[in-house]
Amino acid sequence: MASQDIIFAGFGGQGILSMGKFLAYAGMDANMNVSWLPSYGPEMRGGTANCSVIVSDDPVGSPIVTRPETLIVMNRPSLDKFENDLAKGGLLIMDSDLVDRDTVRDDIEVIKIPAQTEAAKVSSSKIANMVLLGALVAKTNIVTMDEILASLKAHGKEKFYEANKKALEVGASYVK
């Protein structure tokens, strides 16, 4: 694993920034170089939110991701906005409960997960972000599942740890 440029995107309130932050912490804890750059509208909830995360063995020159290798989208506007930016041969992970169209590209790998549905089975649709993060970690091995769990334990709320852990495992099962 040399480097991975990722964009997480969706509506505010879906845990988009948290997903990126947990991944960045996990990378840091694994002694990798990381950057986490959030971007969101002025709305408290429901506006657009995205973050760029770089996890690399090499120094990170700039936190700006223009051609991500991986894209995680939790709504259709995010797919519309970022699909064409995804690198050829890249990975697209989408919440098929909320993204109501297929990708127009045939040069990328697409993983569709009904994340809202799966998260609701675990505890609440509010942890759909963790389902998608679990799929990302399992598919790319950018960090280990143990490292992402340690990140959640150290930087997340303890009362949500068990549900988040289960959601990560459900997401990972989609790519195994």
Side-chain angles (χ1 to χ4, degrees), residues 36-164:
W36 173 78
L37 183 65
S39 172
Y40 43 88
E43 307 89 348
M44 281 281 268
R45 294 249 182 274
T48 58
N50 67 77
C51 68
S52 300
V53 176
I54 300 170
V55 180
S56 178
D57 291 330
D58 301 318
V60 176
S62 168
I64 297 167
V65 173
T66 55
R67 180 76 63 214
E69 285 114 356
T70 304
L71 174 62
I72 290 86
V73 295
M74 291 190 72
N75 62 9
R76 180 172 175 167
S78 295
L79 180 62
D80 294 344
K81 180 176 180 177
F82 293 109
E83 179 179 6
N84 289 328
D85 297 338
L86 187 59
K88 185 177 177 147
L91 173 64
L92 169 63
I93 301 174
M94 69 167 85
D95 184 340
S96 60
D97 284 332
L98 299 178
V99 179
D100 62 356
R101 77 163 174 89
D102 280 329
T103 179
V104 295
R105 296 181 54 186
D106 60 8
D107 63 344
I108 57 174
E109 181 177 359
V110 180
I111 299 173
K112 297 178 187 176
I113 301 173
Q116 304 295 312
T117 302
E118 292 295 346
K121 288 180 196 171
V122 172
S123 74
S124 160
S125 63
K126 287 183 178 7
I127 59 171
N129 62 333
M130 291 295 127
V131 174
L132 299 175
L133 184 59
L136 168 74
V137 169
K139 180 67 181 174
T140 66
N141 296 310
I142 187 160
V143 294
T144 66
M145 194 56 80
D146 286 343
E147 287 163 342
I148 200 76
L149 288 170
S151 169
L152 271 175
K153 204 169 203 69
H155 307 285
K157 292 191 171 94
E158 192 176 331
K159 68 180 177 179
F160 300 126
Y161 177 77
E162 287 304 323
N164 283 337

